[in-house]
Amino acid sequence: MLGSVGHFVQEVALFWIAYEITGSAMALGLLGLGSAAPRLILGAFSGVLVDRYDRKLLLILVQFVSIIPIAIFLAIYAFGALAFWHLLVLEIFFGSIRAINPSAAQSILSELVPRADLMNAVSLYTVGFNIARIAGPSLGGVLILWIGIGGCYAAFAASLLISGVGMLFIRTTKEEVVKVEKNFFREFREGFHYVWHAPVILSSVVAAYTFAVFIVTYQSFLPVFAKEVLQVGPEGLGILMAAPGLGGIASLSFLASVGERWNRAMLLWFMTTTTPVFLMLFCASPIFWLSVLLLALVGAGQVSFRTISRVIIQVEAPRNLMGRVMSVFNLDQGMRSIGAVVLGASATFFGASLGLALAAAVSLIVTTTIFYRLLGKQPKNAA
């Protein structure tokens, strides 16, 4: 969690200095694209590495190597020569290094806890990330005033170093991986082939991609709702921005309590149905606190969906394919760059409220159709 908090602190500093240099909102969008594109391009390939090599070692290397672009930034910043293209290139470099991190971090959980405790383990992992998502940006805003942009980057480097050293002491359950293939691209195709023939996992992957394109980037448009619809100003915007994270944390208590008692496939279907419905209701809400509640429910649905999906992959995917399957799922993080364009176009043509509601409706139709076609053929006791 320390590394995640540091990353969010660095992200606030990055966008602050970028806007100071350029004064352009488009520049901020380019930085977001530069960060997401490597995950989309390299994310699936990274799964082969996760399955080939020791996952703990890969995670440690990612923490240490990630310090390199930060050190380069600090050097350029110290000499007063920083330009926007430096930020963009370093963000692409950093994103390329970190592309392997989500798959490795989520795949290693099955080596740390018994299968019966996977739901709790994944929930705890997600709680930590959401706490970081709430605390990190707030801390970053304060630290910019206290220690400056360079200090924020240095703090991130320190958090990565501490995280990497801490991982050296983690003990994992060693399992011998049967390696019958050494052809990189054939191994890469194996991951997609397995997902294609695993209906529950395929359903969660398609739903994740659909969410990424039609749902997830809605938060970029919350300033419009705060100013034009709800008329609450910057303070109200802060509450709206925090609501999904708080709802996500609250939802994990529910998931931890249900454990293995509920059908995971049906829970997955339920979350992909209710999340876009709550977003559509938010778009129609003229009342501030009702809007906050609906955003919390949207966040709860998003987090619950990803948590259940990860547990399903941890339980169903073979150990020697875990990294590749997880990397296919995590491609949704890169597809958020496409989602930003789709929601932006929809909001431009139809207005923010109607545009986001229509996008959510498309998500609901796609996921309902996919789950009906794929999971409708499954036995009632599946997953």
Side-chain angles (χ1 to χ4, degrees):
M1 189 174 82
L2 179 63
S4 296
V5 172
H7 187 197
F8 283 113
V9 168
Q10 176 265 344
E11 198 171 65
V12 172
L14 167 67
F15 285 105
W16 182 270
I17 190 66
Y19 194 72
E20 277 197 340
I21 292 173
T22 65
S24 168
M26 179 62 71
L28 303 183
L30 288 175
L31 280 178
L33 181 62
S35 176
R39 297 178 186 177
L40 182 60
I41 297 170
L42 303 175
F45 291 101
S46 69
V48 178
L49 301 179
V50 171
D51 286 334
R52 276 190 178 189
Y53 303 110
D54 185 284
R55 290 161 186 170
K56 187 180 95 168
L57 178 60
L58 287 173
L59 283 171
I60 293 171
L61 288 175
V62 166
Q63 307 311 307
F64 291 151
V65 177
S66 295
I67 297 175
I68 295 175
I70 299 174
I72 295 173
F73 169 89
L74 288 172
I76 298 173
Y77 186 72
F79 282 104
L82 190 66
F84 175 73
W85 72 266
H86 293 131
L87 298 176
L88 184 59
V89 170
L90 289 174
E91 193 64 11
I92 295 172
F93 181 23
F94 181 77
S96 300
I97 295 170
R98 304 287 291 186
I100 196 174
N101 195 71
S103 299
Q106 293 164 29
S107 298
I108 203 174
L109 289 176
S110 61
E111 301 175 17
L112 299 176
V113 299
R115 170 174 171 156
D117 296 327
L118 271 175
M119 180 69 85
N120 288 338
V122 176
S123 297
L124 185 60
Y125 174 91
T126 310
V127 166
F129 180 80
N130 277 274
I131 291 174
R133 187 172 70 170
I134 295 170
S138 302
L139 182 60
V142 173
L143 289 179
I144 288 175
L145 298 176
W146 287 0
I147 59 178
I149 300 296
C152 289
Y153 269 78
F156 182 33
S159 72
L160 289 172
L161 181 61
I162 294 171
S163 296
V165 172
M167 288 179 188
L168 292 171
F169 301 95
I170 294 177
R171 292 185 179 182
T172 59
T173 302
K174 295 293 183 181
E175 295 182 17
E176 194 65 30
V177 179
V178 179
K179 296 181 180 179
V180 296
E181 197 58 64
K182 280 295 184 182
N183 183 296
F184 187 92
F185 289 100
R186 189 171 297 177
E187 291 181 60
F188 171 74
R189 290 195 299 271
E190 280 182 353
F192 282 94
H193 182 268
Y194 177 83
V195 169
W196 186 256
H197 291 88
V200 179
I201 294 178
L202 179 60
S203 299
S204 66
V205 168
V206 174
Y209 293 175
T210 304
F211 269 26
V213 174
F214 296 106
I215 296 287
V216 174
T217 56
Y218 71 89
Q219 285 186 291
S220 302
F221 302 92
L222 290 183
V224 179
F225 286 89
K227 183 177 180 180
E228 304 295 338
V229 179
L230 303 172
Q231 300 179 348
V232 291
E235 299 84 358
L237 175 61
I239 296 173
L240 291 173
M241 294 288 286
L246 293 172
I249 292 174
S251 72
L252 295 173
S253 300
F254 165 74
L255 291 180
S257 67
V258 300
E260 297 288 327
R261 290 178 293 164
W262 285 27
N263 183 298
R264 286 187 293 270
M266 290 302 103
L267 273 175
L268 206 62
W269 196 340
F270 178 75
M271 295 305 171
T272 57
T273 300
T274 57
T275 302
V277 169
F278 286 136
L279 182 57
M280 287 187 281
L281 291 174
F282 164 76
C283 292
S285 170
I287 304 170
F288 174 68
W289 287 110
L290 176 60
S291 297
V292 171
L293 174 61
L294 290 168
L295 282 180
L297 292 172
V298 171
Q302 286 180 267
V303 170
S304 298
F305 162 75
R306 291 192 65 82
T307 302
I308 298 165
S309 296
R310 289 168 183 165
V311 171
I312 289 174
I313 293 173
Q314 297 276 357
V315 170
E316 294 206 353
R319 167 69 176 79
N320 64 315
L321 287 171
M322 184 77 71
R324 279 167 282 178
V325 175
M326 195 67 77
S327 68
V328 173
F329 176 77
N330 284 327
L331 283 177
D332 71 311
Q333 297 184 24
M335 295 182 73
R336 294 175 185 180
S337 56
I338 301 173
V341 175
V342 170
L343 288 190
S346 184
T348 299
F349 284 117
F350 302 106
S353 295
L354 180 58
L356 266 63
L358 289 174
V362 172
S363 173
L364 179 61
I365 293 169
V366 172
T367 55
T368 300
T369 302
I370 291 297
F371 273 67
Y372 176 77
R373 291 182 64 85
L374 293 177
L375 296 187
K377 303 174 183 178
Q378 292 290 100
K380 290 185 179 181
N381 58 352

mmCIF file of all heavy atoms in Angstrom, residues 29-75:
data_model
loop_
_atom_site.group_PDB
_atom_site.id
_atom_site.type_symbol
_atom_site.label_atom_id
_atom_site.label_comp_id
_atom_site.label_asym_id
_atom_site.label_seq_id
_atom_site.Cartn_x
_atom_site.Cartn_y
_atom_site.Cartn_z
ATOM 1 N N GLY A 29 -4.481 15.253 -20.754
ATOM 2 C CA GLY A 29 -5.026 14.082 -21.421
ATOM 3 C C GLY A 29 -3.939 13.257 -22.088
ATOM 4 O O GLY A 29 -3.966 12.020 -22.051
ATOM 5 N N LEU A 30 -2.954 13.926 -22.684
ATOM 6 C CA LEU A 30 -1.839 13.213 -23.312
ATOM 7 C C LEU A 30 -1.024 12.450 -22.283
ATOM 8 O O LEU A 30 -0.555 11.335 -22.547
ATOM 9 C CB LEU A 30 -0.941 14.200 -24.063
ATOM 10 C CG LEU A 30 -1.510 14.785 -25.359
ATOM 11 C CD1 LEU A 30 -0.568 15.837 -25.922
ATOM 12 C CD2 LEU A 30 -1.747 13.670 -26.378
ATOM 13 N N LEU A 31 -0.849 13.037 -21.101
ATOM 14 C CA LEU A 31 -0.132 12.320 -20.039
ATOM 15 C C LEU A 31 -0.896 11.074 -19.606
ATOM 16 O O LEU A 31 -0.302 10.013 -19.373
ATOM 17 C CB LEU A 31 0.083 13.241 -18.833
ATOM 18 C CG LEU A 31 1.229 14.238 -18.924
ATOM 19 C CD1 LEU A 31 1.263 15.112 -17.670
ATOM 20 C CD2 LEU A 31 2.561 13.531 -19.091
ATOM 21 N N GLY A 32 -2.218 11.208 -19.496
ATOM 22 C CA GLY A 32 -3.029 10.045 -19.148
ATOM 23 C C GLY A 32 -2.924 8.955 -20.198
ATOM 24 O O GLY A 32 -2.820 7.760 -19.872
ATOM 25 N N LEU A 33 -2.912 9.355 -21.467
ATOM 26 C CA LEU A 33 -2.758 8.398 -22.551
ATOM 27 C C LEU A 33 -1.376 7.754 -22.518
ATOM 28 O O LEU A 33 -1.233 6.547 -22.719
ATOM 29 C CB LEU A 33 -2.982 9.091 -23.897
ATOM 30 C CG LEU A 33 -2.872 8.218 -25.144
ATOM 31 C CD1 LEU A 33 -3.926 7.122 -25.113
ATOM 32 C CD2 LEU A 33 -3.015 9.072 -26.403
ATOM 33 N N GLY A 34 -0.354 8.573 -22.232
ATOM 34 C CA GLY A 34 1.008 8.048 -22.152
ATOM 35 C C GLY A 34 1.170 7.031 -21.042
ATOM 36 O O GLY A 34 1.957 6.083 -21.155
ATOM 37 N N SER A 35 0.415 7.194 -19.970
ATOM 38 C CA SER A 35 0.472 6.246 -18.858
ATOM 39 C C SER A 35 -0.299 4.973 -19.164
ATOM 40 O O SER A 35 0.132 3.865 -18.812
ATOM 41 C CB SER A 35 -0.088 6.904 -17.589
ATOM 42 O OG SER A 35 -0.132 5.987 -16.523
ATOM 43 N N ALA A 36 -1.462 5.106 -19.834
ATOM 44 C CA ALA A 36 -2.331 3.950 -20.071
ATOM 45 C C ALA A 36 -1.891 3.109 -21.260
ATOM 46 O O ALA A 36 -2.058 1.883 -21.258
ATOM 47 C CB ALA A 36 -3.771 4.422 -20.278
ATOM 48 N N ALA A 37 -1.329 3.749 -22.302
ATOM 49 C CA ALA A 37 -0.990 3.025 -23.531
ATOM 50 C C ALA A 37 -0.035 1.853 -23.299
ATOM 51 O O ALA A 37 -0.242 0.770 -23.857
ATOM 52 C CB ALA A 37 -0.426 3.998 -24.560
ATOM 53 N N PRO A 38 1.038 2.002 -22.493
ATOM 54 C CA PRO A 38 1.917 0.844 -22.266
ATOM 55 C C PRO A 38 1.200 -0.338 -21.623
ATOM 56 O O PRO A 38 1.521 -1.494 -21.917
ATOM 57 C CB PRO A 38 3.000 1.404 -21.337
ATOM 58 C CG PRO A 38 3.019 2.862 -21.598
ATOM 59 C CD PRO A 38 1.591 3.218 -21.877
ATOM 60 N N ARG A 39 0.232 -0.055 -20.746
ATOM 61 C CA ARG A 39 -0.524 -1.149 -20.130
ATOM 62 C C ARG A 39 -1.341 -1.893 -21.178
ATOM 63 O O ARG A 39 -1.474 -3.117 -21.117
ATOM 64 C CB ARG A 39 -1.464 -0.596 -19.056
ATOM 65 C CG ARG A 39 -0.752 0.079 -17.904
ATOM 66 C CD ARG A 39 -1.767 0.632 -16.920
ATOM 67 N NE ARG A 39 -1.131 1.406 -15.864
ATOM 68 C CZ ARG A 39 -1.796 2.044 -14.917
ATOM 69 N NH1 ARG A 39 -3.117 1.986 -14.886
ATOM 70 N NH2 ARG A 39 -1.154 2.738 -14.001
ATOM 71 N N LEU A 40 -1.885 -1.156 -22.139
ATOM 72 C CA LEU A 40 -2.694 -1.775 -23.180
ATOM 73 C C LEU A 40 -1.820 -2.576 -24.137
ATOM 74 O O LEU A 40 -2.174 -3.682 -24.546
ATOM 75 C CB LEU A 40 -3.471 -0.692 -23.946
ATOM 76 C CG LEU A 40 -4.419 -1.175 -25.047
ATOM 77 C CD1 LEU A 40 -5.494 -2.086 -24.463
ATOM 78 C CD2 LEU A 40 -5.050 0.010 -25.752
ATOM 79 N N ILE A 41 -0.652 -2.035 -24.489
ATOM 80 C CA ILE A 41 0.218 -2.676 -25.479
ATOM 81 C C ILE A 41 1.036 -3.813 -24.871
ATOM 82 O O ILE A 41 1.174 -4.888 -25.459
ATOM 83 C CB ILE A 41 1.158 -1.629 -26.113
ATOM 84 C CG1 ILE A 41 0.330 -0.568 -26.866
ATOM 85 C CG2 ILE A 41 2.151 -2.296 -27.063
ATOM 86 C CD1 ILE A 41 1.130 0.636 -27.314
ATOM 87 N N LEU A 42 1.573 -3.585 -23.674
ATOM 88 C CA LEU A 42 2.489 -4.550 -23.069
ATOM 89 C C LEU A 42 1.843 -5.440 -22.017
ATOM 90 O O LEU A 42 2.442 -6.444 -21.619
ATOM 91 C CB LEU A 42 3.666 -3.808 -22.421
ATOM 92 C CG LEU A 42 4.481 -2.886 -23.335
ATOM 93 C CD1 LEU A 42 5.522 -2.142 -22.522
ATOM 94 C CD2 LEU A 42 5.143 -3.684 -24.450
ATOM 95 N N GLY A 43 0.649 -5.056 -21.546
ATOM 96 C CA GLY A 43 0.043 -5.763 -20.418
ATOM 97 C C GLY A 43 -0.114 -7.256 -20.642
ATOM 98 O O GLY A 43 0.238 -8.069 -19.788
ATOM 99 N N ALA A 44 -0.657 -7.641 -21.800
ATOM 100 C CA ALA A 44 -0.887 -9.068 -22.052
ATOM 101 C C ALA A 44 0.418 -9.830 -22.198
ATOM 102 O O ALA A 44 0.548 -10.965 -21.734
ATOM 103 C CB ALA A 44 -1.745 -9.240 -23.300
ATOM 104 N N PHE A 45 1.420 -9.220 -22.850
ATOM 105 C CA PHE A 45 2.714 -9.884 -23.004
ATOM 106 C C PHE A 45 3.392 -10.093 -21.658
ATOM 107 O O PHE A 45 4.128 -11.064 -21.460
ATOM 108 C CB PHE A 45 3.622 -9.063 -23.930
ATOM 109 C CG PHE A 45 3.167 -9.057 -25.362
ATOM 110 C CD1 PHE A 45 2.480 -7.973 -25.880
ATOM 111 C CD2 PHE A 45 3.416 -10.140 -26.190
ATOM 112 C CE1 PHE A 45 2.057 -7.965 -27.198
ATOM 113 C CE2 PHE A 45 2.996 -10.142 -27.514
ATOM 114 C CZ PHE A 45 2.315 -9.050 -28.022
ATOM 115 N N SER A 46 3.150 -9.171 -20.723
ATOM 116 C CA SER A 46 3.797 -9.291 -19.414
ATOM 117 C C SER A 46 3.347 -10.545 -18.680
ATOM 118 O O SER A 46 4.079 -11.076 -17.840
ATOM 119 C CB SER A 46 3.488 -8.060 -18.564
ATOM 120 O OG SER A 46 2.118 -8.029 -18.184
ATOM 121 N N GLY A 47 2.155 -11.042 -19.008
ATOM 122 C CA GLY A 47 1.671 -12.251 -18.358
ATOM 123 C C GLY A 47 2.556 -13.456 -18.615
ATOM 124 O O GLY A 47 2.671 -14.349 -17.765
ATOM 125 N N VAL A 48 3.184 -13.514 -19.793
ATOM 126 C CA VAL A 48 4.108 -14.616 -20.096
ATOM 127 C C VAL A 48 5.281 -14.585 -19.129
ATOM 128 O O VAL A 48 5.707 -15.622 -18.607
ATOM 129 C CB VAL A 48 4.597 -14.522 -21.554
ATOM 130 C CG1 VAL A 48 5.593 -15.645 -21.849
ATOM 131 C CG2 VAL A 48 3.423 -14.586 -22.526
ATOM 132 N N LEU A 49 5.811 -13.396 -18.855
ATOM 133 C CA LEU A 49 6.931 -13.266 -17.918
ATOM 134 C C LEU A 49 6.507 -13.657 -16.513
ATOM 135 O O LEU A 49 7.265 -14.305 -15.778
ATOM 136 C CB LEU A 49 7.462 -11.828 -17.932
ATOM 137 C CG LEU A 49 7.973 -11.299 -19.272
ATOM 138 C CD1 LEU A 49 8.435 -9.852 -19.134
ATOM 139 C CD2 LEU A 49 9.110 -12.163 -19.789
ATOM 140 N N VAL A 50 5.288 -13.266 -16.133
ATOM 141 C CA VAL A 50 4.785 -13.598 -14.798
ATOM 142 C C VAL A 50 4.691 -15.104 -14.611
ATOM 143 O O VAL A 50 4.958 -15.627 -13.528
ATOM 144 C CB VAL A 50 3.412 -12.923 -14.558
ATOM 145 C CG1 VAL A 50 2.773 -13.417 -13.269
ATOM 146 C CG2 VAL A 50 3.569 -11.408 -14.518
ATOM 147 N N ASP A 51 4.310 -15.824 -15.687
ATOM 148 C CA ASP A 51 4.194 -17.278 -15.599
ATOM 149 C C ASP A 51 5.548 -17.984 -15.736
ATOM 150 O O ASP A 51 5.718 -19.103 -15.269
ATOM 151 C CB ASP A 51 3.229 -17.795 -16.670
ATOM 152 C CG ASP A 51 1.779 -17.494 -16.332
ATOM 153 O OD1 ASP A 51 1.480 -17.353 -15.131
ATOM 154 O OD2 ASP A 51 0.965 -17.381 -17.259
ATOM 155 N N ARG A 52 6.489 -17.345 -16.392
ATOM 156 C CA ARG A 52 7.795 -17.969 -16.603
ATOM 157 C C ARG A 52 8.705 -17.852 -15.388
ATOM 158 O O ARG A 52 9.473 -18.769 -15.084
ATOM 159 C CB ARG A 52 8.512 -17.314 -17.792
ATOM 160 C CG ARG A 52 8.134 -17.850 -19.152
ATOM 161 C CD ARG A 52 9.091 -17.287 -20.182
ATOM 162 N NE ARG A 52 8.808 -17.794 -21.519
ATOM 163 C CZ ARG A 52 9.619 -17.577 -22.555
ATOM 164 N NH1 ARG A 52 10.718 -16.866 -22.392
ATOM 165 N NH2 ARG A 52 9.313 -18.064 -23.746
ATOM 166 N N TYR A 53 8.651 -16.713 -14.700
ATOM 167 C CA TYR A 53 9.655 -16.414 -13.687
ATOM 168 C C TYR A 53 9.015 -16.227 -12.306
ATOM 169 O O TYR A 53 7.797 -16.129 -12.168
ATOM 170 C CB TYR A 53 10.443 -15.157 -14.093
ATOM 171 C CG TYR A 53 11.090 -15.294 -15.450
ATOM 172 C CD1 TYR A 53 10.624 -14.566 -16.539
ATOM 173 C CD2 TYR A 53 12.143 -16.193 -15.653
ATOM 174 C CE1 TYR A 53 11.195 -14.701 -17.792
ATOM 175 C CE2 TYR A 53 12.721 -16.330 -16.901
ATOM 176 C CZ TYR A 53 12.245 -15.590 -17.975
ATOM 177 O OH TYR A 53 12.813 -15.735 -19.218
ATOM 178 N N ASP A 54 9.858 -16.157 -11.310
ATOM 179 C CA ASP A 54 9.421 -15.997 -9.928
ATOM 180 C C ASP A 54 8.691 -14.661 -9.763
ATOM 181 O O ASP A 54 9.257 -13.592 -10.018
ATOM 182 C CB ASP A 54 10.643 -16.048 -8.999
ATOM 183 C CG ASP A 54 10.245 -16.016 -7.543
ATOM 184 O OD1 ASP A 54 9.888 -14.927 -7.061
ATOM 185 O OD2 ASP A 54 10.296 -17.072 -6.883
ATOM 186 N N ARG A 55 7.435 -14.734 -9.328
ATOM 187 C CA ARG A 55 6.610 -13.524 -9.262
ATOM 188 C C ARG A 55 7.094 -12.549 -8.203
ATOM 189 O O ARG A 55 7.036 -11.331 -8.387
ATOM 190 C CB ARG A 55 5.153 -13.925 -9.010
ATOM 191 C CG ARG A 55 4.534 -14.608 -10.213
ATOM 192 C CD ARG A 55 3.310 -15.412 -9.905
ATOM 193 N NE ARG A 55 2.878 -16.155 -11.098
ATOM 194 C CZ ARG A 55 1.960 -17.088 -11.109
ATOM 195 N NH1 ARG A 55 1.363 -17.433 -9.974
ATOM 196 N NH2 ARG A 55 1.633 -17.716 -12.225
ATOM 197 N N LYS A 56 7.560 -13.070 -7.100
ATOM 198 C CA LYS A 56 8.076 -12.188 -6.062
ATOM 199 C C LYS A 56 9.299 -11.430 -6.562
ATOM 200 O O LYS A 56 9.426 -10.211 -6.360
ATOM 201 C CB LYS A 56 8.431 -12.995 -4.808
ATOM 202 C CG LYS A 56 8.826 -12.114 -3.621
ATOM 203 C CD LYS A 56 9.169 -12.936 -2.395
ATOM 204 C CE LYS A 56 10.662 -13.174 -2.323
ATOM 205 N NZ LYS A 56 11.071 -13.731 -1.009
ATOM 206 N N LEU A 57 10.187 -12.123 -7.256
ATOM 207 C CA LEU A 57 11.386 -11.471 -7.792
ATOM 208 C C LEU A 57 11.009 -10.399 -8.809
ATOM 209 O O LEU A 57 11.597 -9.304 -8.816
ATOM 210 C CB LEU A 57 12.296 -12.521 -8.435
ATOM 211 C CG LEU A 57 13.582 -11.990 -9.094
ATOM 212 C CD1 LEU A 57 14.448 -11.268 -8.066
ATOM 213 C CD2 LEU A 57 14.350 -13.127 -9.748
ATOM 214 N N LEU A 58 10.023 -10.694 -9.668
ATOM 215 C CA LEU A 58 9.583 -9.705 -10.655
ATOM 216 C C LEU A 58 9.041 -8.451 -9.973
ATOM 217 O O LEU A 58 9.345 -7.326 -10.392
ATOM 218 C CB LEU A 58 8.513 -10.311 -11.564
ATOM 219 C CG LEU A 58 8.984 -11.332 -12.603
ATOM 220 C CD1 LEU A 58 7.789 -11.962 -13.301
ATOM 221 C CD2 LEU A 58 9.910 -10.685 -13.624
ATOM 222 N N LEU A 59 8.240 -8.633 -8.923
ATOM 223 C CA LEU A 59 7.682 -7.488 -8.202
ATOM 224 C C LEU A 59 8.775 -6.641 -7.563
ATOM 225 O O LEU A 59 8.720 -5.405 -7.584
ATOM 226 C CB LEU A 59 6.697 -7.974 -7.135
ATOM 227 C CG LEU A 59 5.321 -8.420 -7.635
ATOM 228 C CD1 LEU A 59 4.543 -9.084 -6.513
ATOM 229 C CD2 LEU A 59 4.538 -7.237 -8.195
ATOM 230 N N ILE A 60 9.764 -7.300 -7.000
ATOM 231 C CA ILE A 60 10.879 -6.573 -6.380
ATOM 232 C C ILE A 60 11.633 -5.772 -7.429
ATOM 233 O O ILE A 60 11.963 -4.587 -7.226
ATOM 234 C CB ILE A 60 11.820 -7.553 -5.653
ATOM 235 C CG1 ILE A 60 11.098 -8.177 -4.446
ATOM 236 C CG2 ILE A 60 13.083 -6.850 -5.193
ATOM 237 C CD1 ILE A 60 11.855 -9.315 -3.803
ATOM 238 N N LEU A 61 11.904 -6.400 -8.575
ATOM 239 C CA LEU A 61 12.624 -5.706 -9.653
ATOM 240 C C LEU A 61 11.833 -4.506 -10.166
ATOM 241 O O LEU A 61 12.404 -3.451 -10.441
ATOM 242 C CB LEU A 61 12.908 -6.678 -10.802
ATOM 243 C CG LEU A 61 13.973 -7.742 -10.541
ATOM 244 C CD1 LEU A 61 14.058 -8.714 -11.710
ATOM 245 C CD2 LEU A 61 15.333 -7.087 -10.305
ATOM 246 N N VAL A 62 10.507 -4.657 -10.283
ATOM 247 C CA VAL A 62 9.673 -3.547 -10.750
ATOM 248 C C VAL A 62 9.796 -2.354 -9.808
ATOM 249 O O VAL A 62 9.915 -1.208 -10.257
ATOM 250 C CB VAL A 62 8.196 -3.997 -10.876
ATOM 251 C CG1 VAL A 62 7.274 -2.784 -11.018
ATOM 252 C CG2 VAL A 62 8.015 -4.923 -12.062
ATOM 253 N N GLN A 63 9.786 -2.610 -8.496
ATOM 254 C CA GLN A 63 9.892 -1.509 -7.537
ATOM 255 C C GLN A 63 11.224 -0.767 -7.704
ATOM 256 O O GLN A 63 11.265 0.465 -7.735
ATOM 257 C CB GLN A 63 9.780 -2.025 -6.089
ATOM 258 C CG GLN A 63 8.564 -2.870 -5.778
ATOM 259 C CD GLN A 63 7.259 -2.266 -6.238
ATOM 260 O OE1 GLN A 63 6.942 -1.126 -5.931
ATOM 261 N NE2 GLN A 63 6.484 -3.039 -6.989
ATOM 262 N N PHE A 64 12.297 -1.532 -7.820
ATOM 263 C CA PHE A 64 13.619 -0.901 -7.906
ATOM 264 C C PHE A 64 13.843 -0.210 -9.257
ATOM 265 O O PHE A 64 14.361 0.916 -9.312
ATOM 266 C CB PHE A 64 14.717 -1.947 -7.672
ATOM 267 C CG PHE A 64 14.764 -2.455 -6.248
ATOM 268 C CD1 PHE A 64 15.204 -3.743 -5.963
ATOM 269 C CD2 PHE A 64 14.359 -1.661 -5.189
ATOM 270 C CE1 PHE A 64 15.246 -4.207 -4.655
ATOM 271 C CE2 PHE A 64 14.391 -2.120 -3.876
ATOM 272 C CZ PHE A 64 14.840 -3.390 -3.616
ATOM 273 N N VAL A 65 13.450 -0.861 -10.357
ATOM 274 C CA VAL A 65 13.669 -0.276 -11.685
ATOM 275 C C VAL A 65 12.788 0.956 -11.889
ATOM 276 O O VAL A 65 13.170 1.888 -12.606
ATOM 277 C CB VAL A 65 13.409 -1.333 -12.783
ATOM 278 C CG1 VAL A 65 13.548 -0.716 -14.172
ATOM 279 C CG2 VAL A 65 14.380 -2.495 -12.631
ATOM 280 N N SER A 66 11.623 0.996 -11.234
ATOM 281 C CA SER A 66 10.733 2.154 -11.354
ATOM 282 C C SER A 66 11.375 3.432 -10.816
ATOM 283 O O SER A 66 10.912 4.540 -11.127
ATOM 284 C CB SER A 66 9.417 1.896 -10.607
ATOM 285 O OG SER A 66 8.690 0.839 -11.195
ATOM 286 N N ILE A 67 12.398 3.283 -10.002
ATOM 287 C CA ILE A 67 13.080 4.459 -9.448
ATOM 288 C C ILE A 67 13.877 5.191 -10.526
ATOM 289 O O ILE A 67 14.119 6.400 -10.416
ATOM 290 C CB ILE A 67 13.992 4.034 -8.275
ATOM 291 C CG1 ILE A 67 13.139 3.440 -7.144
ATOM 292 C CG2 ILE A 67 14.805 5.210 -7.746
ATOM 293 C CD1 ILE A 67 13.948 2.877 -5.991
ATOM 294 N N ILE A 68 14.248 4.479 -11.608
ATOM 295 C CA ILE A 68 15.096 5.084 -12.649
ATOM 296 C C ILE A 68 14.442 6.307 -13.294
ATOM 297 O O ILE A 68 15.059 7.384 -13.334
ATOM 298 C CB ILE A 68 15.478 4.035 -13.706
ATOM 299 C CG1 ILE A 68 16.345 2.944 -13.078
ATOM 300 C CG2 ILE A 68 16.219 4.696 -14.880
ATOM 301 C CD1 ILE A 68 16.676 1.797 -14.015
ATOM 302 N N PRO A 69 13.200 6.213 -13.829
ATOM 303 C CA PRO A 69 12.605 7.425 -14.420
ATOM 304 C C PRO A 69 12.380 8.543 -13.403
ATOM 305 O O PRO A 69 12.431 9.728 -13.763
ATOM 306 C CB PRO A 69 11.270 6.923 -15.004
ATOM 307 C CG PRO A 69 10.999 5.635 -14.327
ATOM 308 C CD PRO A 69 12.321 5.037 -14.018
ATOM 309 N N ILE A 70 12.163 8.178 -12.145
ATOM 310 C CA ILE A 70 12.006 9.209 -11.107
ATOM 311 C C ILE A 70 13.323 9.945 -10.904
ATOM 312 O O ILE A 70 13.357 11.185 -10.782
ATOM 313 C CB ILE A 70 11.533 8.578 -9.788
ATOM 314 C CG1 ILE A 70 10.189 7.895 -9.980
ATOM 315 C CG2 ILE A 70 11.428 9.636 -8.688
ATOM 316 C CD1 ILE A 70 9.712 7.118 -8.776
ATOM 317 N N ALA A 71 14.426 9.190 -10.874
ATOM 318 C CA ALA A 71 15.744 9.806 -10.722
ATOM 319 C C ALA A 71 16.059 10.729 -11.899
ATOM 320 O O ALA A 71 16.632 11.816 -11.722
ATOM 321 C CB ALA A 71 16.813 8.721 -10.590
ATOM 322 N N ILE A 72 15.686 10.306 -13.109
ATOM 323 C CA ILE A 72 15.902 11.145 -14.295
ATOM 324 C C ILE A 72 15.103 12.438 -14.185
ATOM 325 O O ILE A 72 15.610 13.535 -14.466
ATOM 326 C CB ILE A 72 15.517 10.378 -15.575
ATOM 327 C CG1 ILE A 72 16.442 9.174 -15.778
ATOM 328 C CG2 ILE A 72 15.568 11.300 -16.794
ATOM 329 C CD1 ILE A 72 16.023 8.267 -16.925
ATOM 330 N N PHE A 73 13.836 12.321 -13.754
ATOM 331 C CA PHE A 73 13.010 13.520 -13.559
ATOM 332 C C PHE A 73 13.661 14.470 -12.564
ATOM 333 O O PHE A 73 13.748 15.682 -12.812
ATOM 334 C CB PHE A 73 11.618 13.132 -13.067
ATOM 335 C CG PHE A 73 10.801 14.311 -12.597
ATOM 336 C CD1 PHE A 73 10.013 15.016 -13.485
ATOM 337 C CD2 PHE A 73 10.842 14.743 -11.269
ATOM 338 C CE1 PHE A 73 9.275 16.120 -13.061
ATOM 339 C CE2 PHE A 73 10.112 15.833 -10.838
ATOM 340 C CZ PHE A 73 9.321 16.530 -11.750
ATOM 341 N N LEU A 74 14.101 13.940 -11.422
ATOM 342 C CA LEU A 74 14.689 14.792 -10.378
ATOM 343 C C LEU A 74 15.936 15.502 -10.888
ATOM 344 O O LEU A 74 16.174 16.667 -10.546
ATOM 345 C CB LEU A 74 15.013 13.944 -9.147
ATOM 346 C CG LEU A 74 13.789 13.463 -8.340
ATOM 347 C CD1 LEU A 74 14.214 12.476 -7.264
ATOM 348 C CD2 LEU A 74 13.061 14.646 -7.716
ATOM 349 N N ALA A 75 16.723 14.814 -11.715
ATOM 350 C CA ALA A 75 17.925 15.435 -12.266
ATOM 351 C C ALA A 75 17.561 16.591 -13.201
ATOM 352 O O ALA A 75 18.135 17.691 -13.109
ATOM 353 C CB ALA A 75 18.762 14.388 -12.997
#
